[in-house]
Amino acid sequence: MPPSMATENSTNTSRAEELKLLANEAFKAHKYSQAIDLYTQAIEVDNNNAVYWANRAFAHTKLEEYGSAIQDATKAIEIDPRYSKGYYRRGAAYLAMGKFKEALKDFQQVKKICPNDPDATKKLKECEKAVMKLKFEEAISVPESGRRSVADSVDYHTIDVEPQYAGARIEGDVVTLDFVKKMMDDFKNQKCLHKRYAYQIVLQIREMLRALPSLVDINVPNGKHFTVCGDVHGQFYDLINIFELNGLPSEDNPYLFNGDFVDRGSFSVEVILTLFAFKCMSPSAIYLSRGNHESKSMNKIYGFEGEVKSKLSDTFVELFAEVFCYLPLAHVINGKVFVVHGGLFSVDGVKLSDIKAIDRFCEPPEEGLMCELLWSDPQPQLGRGPSKRGVGLSFGADVTKRFLQDNNLDLVVRSHEVKDEGYEIEHDGKLITVFSAPNYCDQMGNKGAFIRFEAPDLKPNIVTFSAVPHPDVKPMAYANNFLRLFS
C-alpha cells in the first residue's frame, strides 16, 4: 500500500473513532437520535467496524426501532462473525419484538463465543425459560373458535366488599363522576380499587366497545371543542395533569385517547381503569382507540400483564386482553380529521369503508390493514419504505396526500412515536404526531402534548406540557424478567 493511502486510512480510523466517542456521549445523555446520526457518520468514514454497527443497533433499540436494530446487528455479525455483541444486540431486539425463538438462537451464539461469561449464561437461561413457557402456553391453548369468554365466568354482584374497605364505591349499576373522582384520588395515593368495582367497570366497557364499529365517526357541534391525546403508557400522574390543564372529560369537554394507554409506565392499571370509568360514566365524554400496545404479546413483555397480576388477578389479564380486542381502530372527526394510532397503508386506494369493514375482534395480525393502522410511521422521503420497527411500514407525504384526497379528508392525526416537543407536524402540514407521555420512561426528557380542535374550522391548537413527579416506582417495574436484564 502506498504511504499516502496508509496515512489516509489511519486519519479515517481516528476520525471514525472520534465520531464514535461523540456518539457514545450522546447515547449516555439519552439523546438517541443524535447518537444514531453520529454512529452513521462514523460508519460512512469506516463501514468495516463491527462496533459502530452494533452500537447503532443499541441506539435504535432505545428508540424502539427494532427492525433497524436487527439490520445493524446483522451487519456487525457479517463483518465479524466472532463478535459476541452483534448477536447479543440482535437477540435483544428480537426479544423486544416478542420473537423469542430467534432471540434464543442469538443468545446460544453468545454463549458459544463466551462460554465463561456468567452474564451471557444468565440471559440464555431466562430466554430458554421464556421459550419453554411459550411452547407450553401454545400447547394448552384452545383455538379461538372454541373459546368461551372469560366474562361469562365472572359475576361481580357476588363479590363481597369487606366492611373495612375505605376506597371508592359504585352504588348500584351507575358509574358517577363522584365515584371516578374518588377513585382517581385513591390512585393518586397509591391505593387500589376493590376488585368488585374493577370488574364492574371492565365488564360494562366490554359491552359498550363491542357495539361500536371499527371506525367511529365523532361529531363536534359548531362552537364546541374536542381534545385528542396520544400515548399515555401507564403514566398516571401525567394523565391527571392533562385533566388539570384541560378539564375532566365530560359531554362538553370530550377527549379521544389514541391508543397505548398501558405498558412501560408502572401505573397502567390506574390509567386504564380511569379511562374506562370515564367512558362508563359518559360514553360521549371519552373515545378510545386501540394502539399496538393493546395486545397480548406486548402486554406480556412491557409490563401490563405483570402489573395486572400484581394489582388485580390472573382473570383480569384475560379480561383486559379480550376487551382490548373490542377497541375501535380509528376515528374521524366531523368527516375531516382522521385519527389513528400508527398510520397509513402499504397500498393506495384504501377507503374509510374498508376500515369500517375490518373484523377487529382479534389479536393484531402481522400484516394487512389492521396491522398497518396500529404500527406504521411517517417518513420524510416520498413513497413507502420498510418500517424501522420491523412491523408495518414507513409512508411519505404523497401517500398521506392521496389518502386524504381519496376520502375527502383534511388531516391525519397519529401518535405512536415519542417526540421531543410532544408533537411534530409533517407531510406539508397534513400529518400531526401527538404523544402525551412526557419524559417517557423517566429518561427521554421529552414534553407531552395534546391537540384541541374547535368546530367548525377544526384548526389544530397544540398544547405542550412537562412531566410531573410520581411515586418512586420505576418504569417497567412489572415488565418481563429478561427484558429488565437488557434495559
Side-chain angles (χ1 to χ4, degrees):
M1 171 189 308
S4 63
M5 267 180 80
T7 319
E8 190 188 328
N9 277 353
S10 75
T11 311
N12 280 356
T13 306
S14 60
R15 174 75 188 125
E17 277 299 302
E18 263 169 47
L19 287 161
K20 180 191 85 172
L21 292 173
L22 288 170
N24 291 353
E25 287 304 309
F27 186 96
K28 279 185 203 133
H30 306 306
K31 296 190 166 127
Y32 303 117
S33 300
Q34 198 183 328
I36 287 169
D37 289 344
L38 289 160
Y39 288 131
T40 304
Q41 289 174 42
I43 287 166
E44 281 162 3
V45 177
D46 174 5
N47 70 355
N48 231 1
N49 187 321
V51 177
Y52 305 162
W53 291 95
N55 284 9
R56 192 172 74 176
F58 195 21
H60 278 303
T61 302
K62 289 291 192 183
L63 290 179
E64 300 171 36
E65 295 169 353
Y66 305 121
S68 300
I70 288 164
Q71 277 176 323
D72 278 359
T74 303
K75 182 74 183 160
I77 292 164
E78 280 165 15
I79 293 168
D80 181 358
R82 301 280 307 155
Y83 182 49
S84 62
K85 259 204 180 137
Y87 297 102
Y88 184 85
R89 297 282 175 240
R90 189 170 69 182
Y94 277 135
L95 262 190
M97 290 177 77
K99 297 193 167 177
F100 299 109
K101 289 165 193 156
E102 289 90 336
L104 188 57
K105 281 191 195 123
D106 279 338
F107 292 129
Q108 284 162 343
Q109 269 315 112
V110 175
K111 183 81 176 89
K112 230 188 237 159
I113 298 167
C114 324
N116 305 321
D117 179 346
D119 189 50
T121 310
K122 188 171 145 196
K123 288 182 170 144
L124 180 60
K125 277 217 172 76
E126 279 296 334
C127 206
E128 282 168 342
K129 263 196 337 219
V131 172
M132 286 309 295
K133 189 166 173 254
L134 224 75
K135 283 187 175 152
F136 175 69
E137 282 169 2
E138 276 168 22
I140 61 167
S141 74
V142 181
E144 287 288 336
S145 53
R147 217 171 277 179
R148 284 186 60 216
S149 164
V150 60
D152 299 339
S153 65
V154 176
D155 180 6
Y156 66 85
H157 297 95
T158 63
I159 300 172
D160 289 329
V161 180
E162 304 74 19
Q164 66 270 33
Y165 171 71
R169 292 170 182 262
I170 302 172
E171 303 301 335
D173 286 332
V174 182
V175 174
T176 62
L177 179 58
D178 283 343
F179 163 78
V180 183
K181 281 180 171 164
K182 166 89 171 111
M183 178 183 77
M184 282 163 56
D185 228 42
D186 289 346
F187 285 161
K188 237 195 284 195
N189 298 311
Q190 290 184 274
K191 294 187 183 127
C192 291
L193 179 67
H194 197 282
K195 284 192 186 64
R196 178 201 158 105
Y197 305 120
Y199 272 127
Q200 195 168 341
I201 290 165
V202 181
L203 291 169
Q204 206 168 322
I205 202 89
R206 177 179 176 268
E207 293 310 306
M208 220 176 250
L209 295 175
R210 220 169 132 181
L212 295 172
S214 291
L215 174 77
V216 174
D217 285 298
I218 297 170
N219 177 42
V220 184
N222 286 353
K224 298 283 186 191
H225 65 268
F226 188 87
T227 303
V228 179
C229 296
D231 304 30
V232 182
H233 275 300
Q235 297 186 196
F236 176 72
Y237 294 82
D238 294 305
L239 173 66
I240 297 282
N241 187 38
I242 291 172
F243 295 150
E244 281 175 6
L245 296 170
N246 194 57
L248 291 173
S250 68
E251 307 269 323
D252 282 329
N253 189 36
Y255 283 81
L256 164 57
F257 281 85
N258 197 24
D260 283 12
F261 320 121
V262 301
D263 278 341
R264 295 193 178 271
S266 296
F267 304 96
S268 292
V269 166
E270 289 80 353
V271 166
I272 199 70
L273 287 175
T274 299
L275 296 177
F276 280 1
F278 272 119
K279 182 97 182 142
C280 291
M281 176 196 89
S282 167
S284 57
I286 196 164
Y287 296 83
L288 303 168
S289 248
R290 192 172 192 174
N292 61 308
H293 276 267
E294 277 69 52
S295 79
K296 258 192 219 164
S297 59
M298 291 285 130
N299 297 162
K300 216 179 237 355
I301 304 174
Y302 291 100
F304 185 57
E305 181 180 296
E307 190 183 332
V308 171
K309 282 180 176 173
S310 162
K311 292 178 182 173
L312 292 163
S313 70
D314 286 19
T315 310
F316 271 100
V317 172
E318 279 182 68
L319 191 55
F320 277 118
E322 187 180 316
V323 171
F324 286 167
C325 293
Y326 296 166
L327 286 161
L329 302 175
H331 293 76
V332 175
I333 306 171
N334 288 4
K336 286 297 169 203
V337 180
F338 179 72
V339 190
V340 67
H341 179 71
L344 300 179
F345 310 102
S346 53
V347 291
D348 282 335
V350 175
K351 290 290 213 273
L352 295 179
S353 54
D354 299 321
I355 300 171
K356 260 202 175 99
I358 295 172
D359 177 7
R360 71 179 187 279
F361 301 108
C362 60
E363 287 303 312
E366 295 259 313
E367 53 185 22
L369 297 187
M370 179 167 165
C371 168
E372 289 161 4
L373 284 165
L374 298 179
W375 280 96
S376 295
D377 295 296
Q379 63 176 26
Q381 316 83 321
L382 294 180
R384 295 179 171 90
S387 162
K388 296 181 286 199
R389 300 172 190 270
V391 191
L393 68 141
S394 299
F395 59 95
D398 50 338
V399 176
T400 300
K401 190 175 164 188
R402 272 197 301 272
F403 173 76
L404 293 172
Q405 279 170 349
D406 287 348
N407 290 288
N408 193 21
L409 296 159
D410 294 339
L411 179 68
V412 173
V413 173
R414 42 88 61 179
S415 303
H416 194 40
E417 279 181 292
V418 61
K419 297 289 178 191
D420 286 342
E421 290 303 312
Y423 73 97
E424 189 174 353
I425 301 172
E426 294 168 89
H427 293 183
D428 310 315
K430 293 292 180 198
L431 181 141
I432 304 178
T433 297
V434 60
F435 191 83
S436 306
N439 194 22
Y440 181 43
C441 291
D442 284 358
Q443 63 163 357
M444 298 297 269
N446 59 294
K447 288 198 171 95
F450 53 81
I451 308 176
R452 268 175 77 114
F453 292 97
E454 306 273 340
D457 67 351
L458 295 187
K459 215 168 88 277
N461 175 23
I462 300 170
V463 178
T464 66
F465 56 94
S466 296
V468 294
H470 63 75
D472 186 22
V473 184
K474 299 280 176 277
M476 306 283 275
Y478 300 92
N480 204 310
N481 240 348
F482 54 76
L483 209 75
R484 287 212 295 280
L485 293 176
F486 290 93
S487 54

